[in-house]
Amino acid sequence: MKKTISIRAMLISLFVAAVLGSIVLAGTGWMTNQRLINVQHFVADEVLPLQDASRSMVLTMGAFGQRHADLLAAGNLQALEEVTPRSELAARYSQARTGLARIEQTNAATQLAALDSQYQELMAGDEALENVRRDALSLQAQMAEQIAQMQSAITNVMRSAEDIAGRTALAQVREERRQRELMEAWREEGTTTLPTQLLDSMFSARVDIGRLSGNARMAVAMLSDLGRQMMQVDSIDALVNLRSNEISQQVALARQSLAAIAEAPSTTVEQRVLIGELDEVIVELNGLMVEDADSVYALRQQQLDLGAQVQAALANVAAATREMRSALGDIEAYTVAQAGSASEEAETLANAGRTLLVLVTLGVIVVLAIFGWRTLVRVL
């Protein structure tokens, strides 16, 4: 009876050992798997979103750079309106920044603070750049209108000067012919006792209309060239030199030549009126070029000032972008480190779980073997 009970007890013990061994194996596997799941959750919930947010931030910075290039390349206000809006990029940045909020309490907090600060600098520089470019394009359109008016005025002055010079020269030739015919009649009739040489000097042409007309037209042609030069100079000093020296001299020469033609004896009253009107047109042309508040000179001066402002705005956005990229580089390094740490932890857990399972399995096998062997010996 005692032997029977011992065998029964040993069989029960063997069964219990088998069950306990199975439970230990299952528990060990579950614990190992749970730890791996936790690591996977950390990677999926923490590391991957950080990497996505960091990548989105980098893409947003690239989009800002493209926006700045488009602002500079825009040739008119319509093209400027077609540039990617700043609000759209700000929304993308805000979304990416929200993804980085989870690391604000970590070692990357300093980089995040620097990123936020430089982002404000970038937005201010971006706004300044857009405003300056808008002003520059508006000024460019206004400048084009002024240049067109200037060229039209120059063309009209050239045509009028040539017409007046032609009429004056023709009137002078007719007057000289009439005077000479009168002089010849006096000589033939013997009604004058003045020497022939004195008569010839009295009726000789005293004003060279052709030369004066040529000077006036040359001066106006020079004004046209100087107007183009004003559009090409890239310094205030050169612009002031054109206004004070070159343009003023040509305007004075054109007006002096017209005044000399008007004072010619052969010039009629009607022609003097036309010359006076042409002189007023030249004065208006001078105002259009350099004297008026919206003259080509004033607009070009504003363009040069805006050009300097554009360069300053570009320098600001470039500095802000550079600092933001540096901060992003540090944040990316942090996310890479987090990913590497998670990967190493997962590998360590996997190795530890595998080792633990092997040891537990061997232990269960040893226990079952001992109980099974003793039971077998008792039975046999």
Side-chain angles (χ1 to χ4, degrees):
M1 182 69 179
K2 183 177 179 181
K3 182 177 180 181
T4 303
I5 294 175
S6 291
I7 293 174
R8 182 184 301 170
M10 294 188 67
L11 288 175
I12 293 173
S13 299
L14 180 61
F15 172 76
V16 171
V19 171
L20 290 177
S22 300
I23 293 175
V24 169
L25 285 175
T28 303
W30 179 85
M31 290 177 58
T32 302
N33 185 64
Q34 192 64 35
R35 294 177 69 184
L36 287 175
I37 290 176
N38 291 337
V39 172
Q40 290 176 351
H41 285 170
F42 173 76
V43 172
D45 297 339
E46 300 290 337
V47 177
L48 291 181
L50 284 178
Q51 290 182 331
D52 290 340
S54 178
R55 188 180 303 108
S56 178
M57 189 75 73
V58 171
L59 293 177
T60 302
M61 295 301 302
F64 267 109
Q66 183 60 49
R67 168 180 159 80
H68 298 155
D70 293 340
L71 288 176
L72 295 176
N76 50 56
L77 291 175
Q78 181 179 357
L80 191 69
E81 295 299 331
E82 295 175 356
V83 175
T84 303
R86 181 170 54 256
S87 59
E88 178 180 333
L89 299 184
R92 290 174 56 182
Y93 175 87
S94 179
Q95 182 178 2
R97 179 62 181 82
T98 301
L100 296 177
R102 65 186 71 242
I103 60 173
E104 288 182 349
Q105 305 301 323
T106 65
N107 295 333
T110 302
Q111 287 76 13
L112 285 176
L115 184 67
D116 292 338
S117 174
Q118 293 303 321
Y119 173 69
Q120 297 302 322
E121 295 290 335
L122 175 64
M123 292 298 286
D126 181 90
E127 183 178 5
L129 178 61
E130 181 178 1
N131 292 336
V132 171
R133 282 295 297 157
R134 190 179 304 278
D135 293 341
L137 291 175
S138 298
L139 191 63
Q140 178 179 315
Q142 188 177 359
M143 178 75 81
E145 294 179 1
Q146 292 295 88
I147 289 294
Q149 292 182 17
M150 183 187 72
Q151 294 297 337
S152 177
I154 288 175
T155 300
N156 293 335
V157 170
M158 292 283 288
R159 186 182 299 111
S160 299
E162 185 175 1
D163 181 62
I164 291 174
R167 292 184 181 186
T168 305
L170 180 60
Q172 185 182 49
V173 170
R174 289 177 178 175
E175 179 63 19
E176 289 179 358
R177 184 183 299 117
R178 188 185 68 80
Q179 294 289 349
R180 288 190 178 279
E181 289 175 354
L182 181 60
M183 181 185 65
E184 293 297 332
W186 287 352
R187 287 175 178 173
E188 291 176 359
E189 295 175 0
T191 56
T192 180
T193 59
L194 295 175
T196 302
Q197 185 176 3
L198 181 58
L199 288 173
D200 291 340
S201 64
M202 288 174 58
F203 298 115
S204 60
R206 287 179 169 80
V207 179
D208 188 351
I209 301 298
R211 179 181 62 81
L212 293 174
S213 173
N215 290 342
R217 283 178 290 173
M218 180 60 70
V220 175
M222 285 296 297
L223 287 177
S224 177
D225 182 65
L226 292 172
R228 287 190 291 270
Q229 289 185 36
M230 279 199 297
M231 297 297 299
Q232 297 172 356
V233 295
D234 54 1
S235 70
I236 298 295
D237 293 338
L239 190 63
V240 172
N241 178 66
L242 283 176
R243 175 189 180 181
S244 303
N245 297 325
E246 303 291 339
I247 294 177
S248 61
Q249 290 178 4
Q250 298 305 321
V251 170
L253 177 59
R255 297 187 67 189
Q256 290 171 4
S257 299
L258 290 177
I261 294 175
E263 293 172 358
S266 58
T267 304
T268 65
V269 175
E270 180 183 356
Q271 291 168 349
R272 288 190 176 93
V273 172
L274 293 176
I275 291 174
E277 294 175 352
L278 181 58
D279 183 73
E280 293 178 358
V281 173
I282 293 179
V283 172
E284 293 177 0
L285 174 61
N286 184 49
L288 185 63
M289 293 185 69
V290 297
E291 297 297 338
D292 294 345
D294 59 346
S295 64
V296 174
Y297 169 83
L299 294 179
R300 181 55 180 166
Q301 195 172 35
Q302 294 178 40
Q303 276 190 328
L304 293 177
D305 291 339
L306 286 175
Q309 294 179 34
V310 168
Q311 294 303 318
L314 280 176
N316 291 336
V317 297
T321 301
R322 184 168 55 253
E323 294 298 327
M324 288 187 69
R325 290 190 184 280
S326 176
L328 279 174
D330 294 339
I331 293 173
E332 284 188 74
Y334 176 81
T335 58
V336 169
Q338 289 291 95
S341 176
S343 176
E344 291 177 1
E345 184 178 358
E347 184 177 358
T348 300
L349 288 176
N351 293 332
R354 182 169 56 252
T355 302
L356 182 60
L357 282 175
V358 170
L359 293 177
V360 171
T361 301
L362 291 177
V364 171
I365 292 174
V366 170
V367 171
L368 291 177
I370 292 173
F371 275 96
W373 176 255
R374 293 187 63 181
T375 303
L376 183 63
V377 169
R378 281 293 186 92
V379 172
L380 297 178

